[in-house]
Amino acid sequence: MKSPITVAVTGAAGQIGYSLLFRIASGSMFGPDQPVALRLIEIEPALPTLNGVVMELDDCAFPLLHSITPTADLNEGFSGVNWALLVGSVPRKAGMERKDLLSINGKIFTGQGQAIEKNAASDVRVVVVGNPCNTNCLIAKSNAPGIPSERWFAMTRLDENRAKSQLAAKAGVHNTAVTNLTIWGNHSATQYPDFTNAKINGKSVTDVISDQAWLEGEFISTVQQRGAAIIKARGSSSAASAANAVVDTVKSLTTPTPAGDWTSVAVWSDGSYGVEKDLITSFPIRTTDGTSWEIVQDLPVNEFSQSRIDATINELKEERDAVKELGLI
Ligand code: NAI
């Protein structure tokens, strides 16, 4: 039996947690022969609810689930963790300005960054899901300077999956036919799902879908607004699909990327594609060994794409400036 991978999940009693934990424990994330130890981190008032989730995990008798540690103590929660999945955050409420949201969540992510640096395993990798995830990731990373830059990720995989599904439906093909889909920039309504470099059955999307107006208009806005559409339909935000995207993100970072393809993850910008260094930006990413990764270089960026990328990067800069002003980074 392999030794367990230790995974911390914050916000474990929340909606995403309720889908995610069972996927991790069942082997969907790390494979069918890899045991996992779960550290479930919540705020004190949510511990009774978390206890119910732990009871349900127990009741699944998962063969791969080595141990469960529910806690509100960050030092205990992040102790020795190989993966930290930062899902918990405070949602935007009516009347709350974006700046208020950055400030409230910023404080959460400064403390978590510091606790991860102090307690996690030396190979820790961190995926930030809680919104605004790119900037929360920047805050946590800035508060954990000892952890290498390439270990920090913010999730844009749900956007990638949504974009693939929309393109597949329009082309009348299965979603597995859609590859090479980049989400550029911020996980927000400014993100740019790049159809210009995407492929359907190996052919350029623009060769398969001739409706350019749809690609430049409805396709992009549907992907950008999908979260809001789900809230409207379901009465609460996407959770099972978000949890699925967390599983996909970790799987894609731990297994070699299929030849010629890539995936979307927000990572520390090294200046690629003219994006200002240090911003946590979604790029096309690939890995050959399931540990190290690289930003796919030299993709063509036409004028239309550049204007969309500029818009989302500008938003990231504004968020960065706001949290800098608040003294969070
Ligand atoms: P939720 O409100 O159901 O759960 C959040 C949980 O976080 C709650 O149980 C809460 O007690 C906990 N929490 C709050 N502060 C905490 C702290 N300091 N430490 C630990 N736990 C804390 O929300 P849900 O639906 O699970 O979503 C979680 C986050 O994921 C939200 O910020 C949401 O906007 C974001 N999200 C991100 C997506 C992405 O693609 N990046 C997609 C969907 C959601």
Side-chain angles (χ1 to χ4, degrees):
M1 192 74 153
K2 290 181 177 173
S3 54
I5 291 179
T6 304
V7 186
V9 179
T10 69
Q15 279 206 92
I16 294 176
Y18 193 64
S19 286
L20 178 61
L21 302 179
F22 298 84
R23 300 284 304 276
I24 301 173
S26 68
S28 296
M29 187 174 270
F30 296 105
D33 62 350
Q34 176 59 61
V36 287
L38 286 177
R39 299 284 168 70
L40 308 183
I41 302 175
E42 261 296 350
I43 48 173
E44 206 80 40
L47 287 180
T49 309
L50 182 60
N51 189 39
V53 179
V54 172
M55 287 159 73
E56 284 207 71
L57 282 165
D58 284 341
D59 292 350
C60 293
F62 284 119
L64 292 172
L65 188 50
H66 173 270
S67 59
I68 313 171
T69 313
T71 183
D73 175 355
L74 294 181
N75 291 325
E76 182 185 26
F78 290 121
S79 174
V81 301
N82 308 105
W83 284 89
L85 309 178
L86 308 186
V87 179
S89 66
V90 173
R92 191 167 180 167
K93 296 186 185 109
M96 203 189 256
E97 297 290 329
R98 194 169 180 88
K99 212 164 179 177
D100 300 332
L101 187 72
L102 286 168
S103 167
I104 293 168
N105 282 304
K107 288 184 196 108
I108 297 176
F109 287 85
T110 51
Q112 291 184 354
Q114 289 159 6
I116 291 169
E117 179 174 52
K118 194 166 138 211
N119 296 287
S122 59
D123 66 350
V124 67
R125 284 185 266 181
V126 185
V127 179
V128 181
V129 177
N131 281 319
C133 65
N134 298 55
T135 299
N136 286 341
C137 183
L138 177 68
I139 294 168
K141 177 182 179 299
S142 304
N143 283 276
I147 299 176
S149 299
E150 66 272 14
R151 308 273 196 77
W152 297 88
F153 308 93
M155 188 172 92
T156 52
R157 179 56 172 268
L158 179 54
D159 309 301
E160 176 188 332
N161 289 348
R162 287 167 169 168
K164 284 179 166 171
S165 171
Q166 292 299 319
L167 290 173
K170 180 76 173 175
V173 297
H174 190 260
N175 61 57
T176 49
V178 186
T179 59
N180 303 82
L181 197 296
T182 312
I183 301 295
W184 295 93
N186 202 2
H187 168 71
S188 75
T190 66
Q191 64 173 278
Y192 173 48
D194 180 2
F195 58 87
T196 69
N197 286 296
K199 293 181 180 160
I200 296 176
N201 284 320
K203 288 190 200 154
S204 172
V205 161
T206 46
D207 289 344
V208 179
I209 298 173
S210 54
D211 188 349
Q212 188 74 14
W214 180 83
L215 287 169
E216 291 186 5
E218 197 181 329
F219 163 65
I220 294 176
S221 59
T222 300
V223 177
Q224 289 175 335
Q225 301 298 333
R226 188 70 164 179
I230 291 188
I231 291 175
K232 198 167 166 218
R234 213 173 79 85
S236 50
S237 61
S238 37
S241 56
N244 178 66
V246 182
V247 173
D248 283 350
T249 301
V250 173
K251 260 164 61 179
S252 289
L253 291 169
T254 50
T255 48
T257 311
D261 201 1
W262 59 75
T263 189
S264 298
V265 194
V267 296
W268 175 80
S269 171
D270 61 355
S272 293
Y273 294 95
V275 174
E276 195 171 313
K277 268 194 177 187
D278 297 341
L279 291 174
I280 301 290
T281 305
S282 187
F283 282 111
I285 300 294
R286 51 176 292 105
T287 172
T288 47
D289 60 8
T291 306
S292 62
W293 53 265
E294 60 189 9
I295 297 173
V296 176
Q297 298 294 329
D298 301 324
L299 294 179
V301 176
N302 66 20
E303 211 176 303
F304 177 84
S305 295
Q306 191 62 58
S307 69
R308 295 301 178 128
I309 293 172
D310 289 347
T312 190
I313 298 304
N314 283 339
E315 185 184 45
L316 282 173
K317 285 186 200 162
E318 282 168 22
E319 289 184 13
R320 188 262 328 267
D321 293 346
V323 296
K324 205 173 220 173
E325 212 171 283
L326 291 164
L328 298 169
I329 61 171

